[in-house]
Amino acid sequence: MADDQHVSPAGADIRDHRLIYGCMGLGGGWDDEPYGAPEIAAAEAAVEAALEIGVTAFDHADIYRNGKSEAVFGEVLARAPELRSRVVLQSKCGIRLTGDDGPGRYDLRGEHIVRSVERSLTRLRTDVLDVLLLHRPDPLAEPDEVAEALHTLHRQGLVRQFGVSNMAAAQIAHLQASLDVPLVANQLEISLARRDWVEAGVLVNTAESTGVGFPLGTLEHCRAHRIGVQSWSPLARGRFTGAGRTPADRATADRVAALAEAKGTTPEAIVLWWIQRHPARVAPVIGTASPERIRACRDAVRREPELTRQEWYDLWVVARGAPLP
């Protein structure tokens, strides 16, 4: 398959985006109550703020707000049809919420993947997803069945690129072995608060390693195979920009604020730069619905991470509240 068949209408591979806007906060509550004019207006304001700072990739999932996040974004696209050619739409499938048909669970059966994409396209009011991520590993999934579904979606022109979310290196390699289209993204929880993505490697052969849940070698696998790493919850719900709970949080927030003042930027940018400074070139997925906080992330798009090695390590040590081994 030619490379140009994998690119988005905005002319950029998802791996080229430095910052992505996560749409989970749009659409109202996690219920079946219909959205209305206030939710549409809030979505328009968030999208406008994201575009203003240079973000053109938007992350969804079929389950967000029970489908309302995609639907309200579709309303935004319907009101400004020219916008579709300027943005990259990424969505996820594979989680089924608790409901009348059973408990919350994972579902990567081929028929569920295809049906989920069709519904996402309808809600988003578009004829193609630029990226589809498999949201969570399904222990009962058959890789060949998953591959057949992805190949079908690709051949039909319904999805341009594919990736995964919350998967380890071995799971990615196992799935890729059945695919003839590349997996180009892996979305994981990565932040200055969730630090085991860096600590997994340095705590090898120490007693502390038993408390690290991040699968060792996953970042290395992604880098070796050109799989872009995306970070969900990169701002850690504001722990280091005003919502800290522990002494280490508050000490880190003070350090973040001092760095922001010294470098003429915002605390949000410093926290995002700490992630982006890693050689894996992690792309944070910011999820705030506040236009003001979205705009506070501007320098994570427009400036290269301006943290020295010393400053990067200093933030790490302060946030963990203890020296490195």
Side-chain angles (χ1 to χ4, degrees):
M1 193 71 63
D3 286 345
D4 60 357
Q5 290 179 272
H6 292 288
V7 298
S8 74
D13 188 298
I14 190 62
R15 291 166 289 191
D16 294 332
H17 289 259
R18 295 180 55 194
L19 195 68
I20 299 169
Y21 181 71
C23 298
M24 187 174 70
L26 307 181
W30 286 84
D31 51 40
D32 294 325
E33 291 296 316
Y35 62 83
E39 288 77 25
I40 297 172
E44 287 181 320
V47 171
E48 180 181 343
L51 293 171
E52 180 184 317
I53 68 170
V55 172
T56 57
F58 294 84
D59 174 74
H60 294 269
D62 57 351
I63 62 167
Y64 288 166
R65 311 286 162 165
N66 287 8
K68 291 185 291 185
S69 295
E70 289 183 329
V72 78
F73 197 94
E75 297 274 5
V76 175
L77 291 178
R79 295 182 178 201
E82 74 284 354
L83 183 59
R84 180 64 186 96
S85 64
R86 297 171 52 201
V87 302
V88 173
L89 293 183
Q90 172 176 280
S91 196
K92 301 183 285 293
C93 72
I95 296 179
R96 301 185 69 167
L97 301 175
T98 300
D100 294 337
D101 63 344
R105 59 202 185 275
Y106 309 127
D107 191 346
L108 292 183
R109 292 173 300 152
E111 63 183 33
H112 180 73
I113 293 171
V114 172
R115 186 168 62 249
S116 296
V117 168
E118 291 171 346
R119 291 173 177 171
S120 289
L121 292 173
T122 298
R123 288 190 291 265
L124 288 165
R125 304 194 190 192
T126 187
D127 58 0
V128 60
L129 281 180
D130 299 307
V131 191
L132 174 68
L133 304 185
L134 304 179
H135 207 159
R136 289 272 181 184
D138 174 5
L140 298 181
E142 292 287 353
D144 288 345
E145 181 182 353
V146 174
E148 183 179 354
L150 301 192
H151 291 152
T152 296
L153 292 167
H154 194 259
R155 285 194 305 269
Q156 293 178 348
L158 300 180
V159 180
R160 290 188 168 95
Q161 291 185 305
F162 298 95
V164 297
S165 180
N166 303 299
M167 288 197 188
Q171 294 168 308
I172 298 171
H174 186 51
L175 178 58
Q176 185 66 75
S178 296
L179 286 167
D180 61 15
V181 291
L183 295 171
V184 300
N186 186 16
Q187 191 175 115
L188 301 155
E189 185 178 8
I190 286 174
S191 71
L192 187 54
R194 178 68 189 269
R195 297 175 300 276
D196 54 359
W197 61 290
V198 290
E199 301 207 352
V202 302
L203 295 179
V204 171
N205 200 38
T206 71
E208 289 182 75
S209 66
T210 57
V212 174
F214 194 86
L216 184 63
T218 296
L219 286 186
E220 291 81 0
H221 177 87
C222 289
R223 292 184 68 189
H225 295 275
R226 284 205 71 229
I227 299 170
V229 178
Q230 300 176 6
S231 158
W232 61 267
S233 196
L235 294 172
R237 298 173 179 83
R239 278 177 63 175
F240 309 119
T241 55
R245 298 184 296 272
T246 69
D249 288 351
R250 291 188 287 274
T252 306
D254 289 344
R255 198 67 53 91
V256 166
L259 283 167
E261 183 176 1
K263 296 177 185 295
T265 189
T266 62
E268 286 83 358
I270 296 295
V271 172
L272 295 172
W273 279 352
W274 189 81
I275 297 169
Q276 294 173 319
R277 175 69 170 77
H278 191 276
R281 303 290 292 178
V282 180
V285 182
I286 59 170
T288 176
S290 162
E292 181 180 1
R293 288 202 72 206
I294 293 170
R295 293 186 181 99
C297 300
R298 179 191 310 268
D299 285 344
V301 183
R302 300 193 175 186
R303 292 163 62 177
E304 288 293 326
E306 297 175 21
L307 294 177
T308 66
R309 288 177 62 90
Q310 179 177 334
E311 290 165 343
W312 189 88
Y313 271 95
D314 184 50
L315 280 175
W316 180 14
V317 172
V318 172
R320 77 193 306 267
L324 295 172

